[in-house]
Amino acid sequence: MDFVLKEEHGFSYIDEGEGEVLLLLHGLMGSLSNWGDVVEEFKSRYRVLIPMLPIYDMPLLTTGVKSLSKFVHKFIKYKELSNITLLGNSLGGHVALIYVLAHPENIKAMVLTGSSGLYENAFGGSFPRRESIDFVREKVQYTFYDPAVATDELVNDVYKLINDRHSVIRLLAMAKSAIRHNMKKDLHKMHIPVSLIWGKNDKITPPEVALEFNEFLPDSELHWIDKCGHAPMMERPQEFNGLLTAFLEKIK
């Protein structure tokens, strides 16, 4: 991804384009590059921002989804953003939900894709054996419908991450925090337009999760992408961007 990473005021982020704000939040083991195709597609029409979430940099005692939501709030205040369309994948979707509940005045609409917050089956039910790169490869492939999306680079990044003791402790703490922080009872309070864009073959937040979000979010629409797993914007970028374009046009 050839976008400039800006570093200021304790934030690392991408800021491309001008216009209405799209704020993108990545998942637990995701990175800014997960959103590369979205940035490329929308930067000519929107201002697209992606803050790097400090998942591995928080004090262990405060590592959790609520702390990430507070971090997003600090970023939004620092950049003086308003009328935001908030997009979140996986853990990023969960953080978006917590943020919307706390600060609805800043958010115009929300897009969730493979979002946690109700249920997730991280790592297919078991945490990877750290010493085995083949086991890590298998678990990264589990994220996608097409195992080829799990490139060597992606597998190596995850392998490095879970073999760093400092990072893996925070990774586990964050995953536990997400599981504990169930959003079901709060969804009815969110009265903004929401688009749910879901991989039909998502094994981590399976289709029934999307159906439940759609049932309990008052102003939501649900779109399926076939032959697609947990990260539609990476695995099926054209379909994802098409659905996102239609939603953004609808809420103009």
Side-chain angles (χ1 to χ4, degrees), residues 161-173:
L161 183 66
I162 64 173
N163 277 282
D164 178 291
R165 189 171 173 276
H166 172 94
S167 298
V168 83
I169 288 169
R170 281 155 183 80
L171 185 77
L172 288 167

Side-chain angles (χ1 to χ4, degrees), residues 71-247:
F71 172 86
V72 170
H73 186 53
K74 283 179 191 165
F75 180 73
I76 286 170
K77 276 171 64 178
Y78 173 65
K79 299 304 289 180
E80 299 179 344
L81 307 175
S82 61
N83 201 36
I84 300 160
T85 297
L86 195 53
L87 290 80
N89 171 238
S90 196
L91 180 79
H94 201 157
V95 174
L97 286 161
I98 294 167
Y99 185 82
V100 167
L101 195 62
H103 304 284
E105 67 283 356
N106 293 333
I107 305 299
K108 175 183 181 179
M110 179 165 55
V111 178
L112 301 176
T113 182
S115 176
S116 61
L118 291 176
Y119 163 80
E120 65 271 4
N121 178 26
F123 288 119
S126 66
F127 198 77
R129 291 197 298 274
R130 288 189 282 167
E131 69 281 359
S132 166
I133 195 149
D134 290 332
F135 194 79
V136 172
R137 184 180 308 282
E138 184 189 313
K139 292 303 178 187
V140 175
Q141 287 174 343
Y142 185 85
T143 307
F144 305 104
Y145 174 79
D146 177 3
V149 182
T151 60
D152 288 346
E153 185 184 3
L154 198 56
V155 171
N156 287 329
D157 284 349
V158 173
Y159 183 75
K160 270 187 242 165
L161 183 66
I162 64 173
N163 277 282
D164 178 291
R165 189 171 173 276
H166 172 94
S167 298
V168 83
I169 288 169
R170 281 155 183 80
L171 185 77
L172 288 167
M174 191 64 75
K176 282 178 185 163
S177 161
I179 289 163
R180 280 196 306 266
H181 195 103
N182 190 287
M183 300 293 295
K184 186 172 181 176
K185 68 183 185 306
D186 296 314
L187 297 179
H188 73 279
K189 301 170 190 169
M190 301 182 200
H191 293 279
I192 55 168
V194 180
S195 182
L196 302 161
I197 304 177
W198 229 263
K200 240 183 195 172
N201 311 91
D202 188 340
K203 296 189 285 261
I204 293 172
T205 47
E208 56 266 29
V209 175
L211 291 167
E212 197 165 316
F213 272 126
N214 193 33
E215 182 184 347
F216 291 105
L217 285 162
D219 186 8
S220 64
E221 55 183 53
L222 173 56
H223 302 279
W224 300 106
I225 299 181
D226 201 13
K227 297 183 178 172
C228 180
H230 186 56
M233 73 289 178
M234 289 174 73
E235 191 164 12
R236 294 282 189 188
Q238 283 179 299
E239 291 97 317
F240 182 88
N241 287 342
L243 291 165
L244 179 53
T245 297
F247 178 66

